[in-house]
Amino acid sequence: MLQMIRPLLLTLLALGFSACSLNIPVENELTDPNAITSVQTAYEALSSAYTSYPKEAYRLSLLSDDFVPTFTAGQDPSSSRLYSYTDAELRDLSESLWQGYYETIRDLNAVLVRLPSLRSTLSPQERRQLDYLEAEAKTLKALCYLELLQLFATPYSDTTHPAGIILKDRVEREELPRSTKAEVADRIETLLNEAITTFAASGTPAYGSVPGFLGREAAKTILARLRIYRGDWSGTEEATTGLIPEQITRALIPEQRSDWRSGDQRFALFANTVPSSYFSRIYLQESNKKGSLAYQLPRSLYLEEGDLRHHSYVVDSTLTVDATTTRALQLPGKYVHLILERSAPSLTYVVRRSEPIFLRAEALARQGKEDEARNLINAYLSACQSAPIAPSHTGAQLLEDILHEKQREFMGEGLRFYDLKRLGLPIVHYSPNETRISLTIPADSYKRTLPIPLSERSNSRIGAQNPGWPDNLRQP
């Protein structure tokens, strides 16, 4: 069985999970009770969920403070409107994200509801493979719920507005109310703890060790994300135990441009497949044969030339200020170097091995374990050959330093938006080339929480729209 499944899954990975041996539409395949009859067909169904999972790191980075527009940014009106936080563009984003996440959850439910009846027909080895598949499905479902909660509910600390998102466990369409944020977070915790236990017991996946799929370390990192979202500092510290090597070395750093090509397992805990056009469409404007980057990095995120990340995280450029003055610029470089060289990546990182370092450091600092937190971050910065956090930085300054270094590490990967929202930090946007502040989104702005989309507002049990947004059933 293992010999059959490994080539199948590698083929699915190479094709962006689009291949399918069943000659019926995906939606029929997933709802047909007779479709999933083996580990092989179960993985074919799971591949649809991996495909449906939204890849929106770029648009979330536009909503954060990772990017500053260049003078070419206006060539992409949609990105410009999103960077400007226009209501119409935020509503469009909410529609696509809501649909994408719940399509993924639907596909995962289709797999999960089939497994009990299938398990009784399999050999012990096949049941272990199916257990691993079940853990993958639960982990991806938990990740979808967490990201939906971060996007479509107010911050967890906001007890005035307890509404979370909809928990769905069936394939069939049904009208359900929104669960509370606490209820959703509890469900996510349960899914992840079950997955972590199953991963540990079931050994290796049926398809062998390849990038693009979830495993125990990714599940533990997502659990740490959940706990830091809830403000559970000791729980975050516990979840990251065992995820960080005793000696932090440059082996964790994607320092070569080619390291972003294919979700290298030295750096990736979960790397999701994307079509070849994905990066060129979102990062580059086709204004000339080579293309041009529409957004640059704010100066606060610039990497020093001696930093090992400089070669692969940024693109160096020059801005002509006037006839006698130029200024060095840094532009987003992850994946972009490969696009400019006409070598498109096939996967995008969703969970990286360095993330537990930053989650743990913040949790330690918030518990008063400041020396331990500073030493942890400085060990990573030392591996990067970057300047350390000063010993004199304590309290709020230390936390600010940790979050700043996290932003530099994950710029353009979408995580910063979640941090800004949960911490109530202002979101500052600039005019082209950072000449002046063009927009500030304060902590209490309704725009920081996406509206429940029109496609779901027909649900009579959904309840009130998110605060600040008009009921879009009455929109023209």
Side-chain angles (χ1 to χ4, degrees), residues 358-379:
F358 296 88
L359 293 169
R360 186 179 184 88
E362 182 183 345
L364 290 169
R366 292 190 183 279
Q367 295 177 89
K369 303 175 182 179
E370 293 190 345
D371 289 341
E372 193 175 344
R374 188 186 304 102
N375 291 340
L376 179 59
I377 288 292
N378 282 345

Side-chain angles (χ1 to χ4, degrees), residues 156 180-191 226 230:
Y156 195 78
T180 67
K181 288 179 281 194
E183 289 170 339
V184 176
D186 287 344
R187 176 71 66 84
I188 297 168
E189 180 113 10
T190 298
L191 287 167
L226 169 70
R230 300 184 83 168

Side-chain angles (χ1 to χ4, degrees), residues 150-166:
Q150 291 170 306
L151 293 165
F152 289 93
T154 61
Y156 195 78
S157 58
D158 175 16
T159 56
T160 305
H161 303 99
I165 48 97
I166 298 172

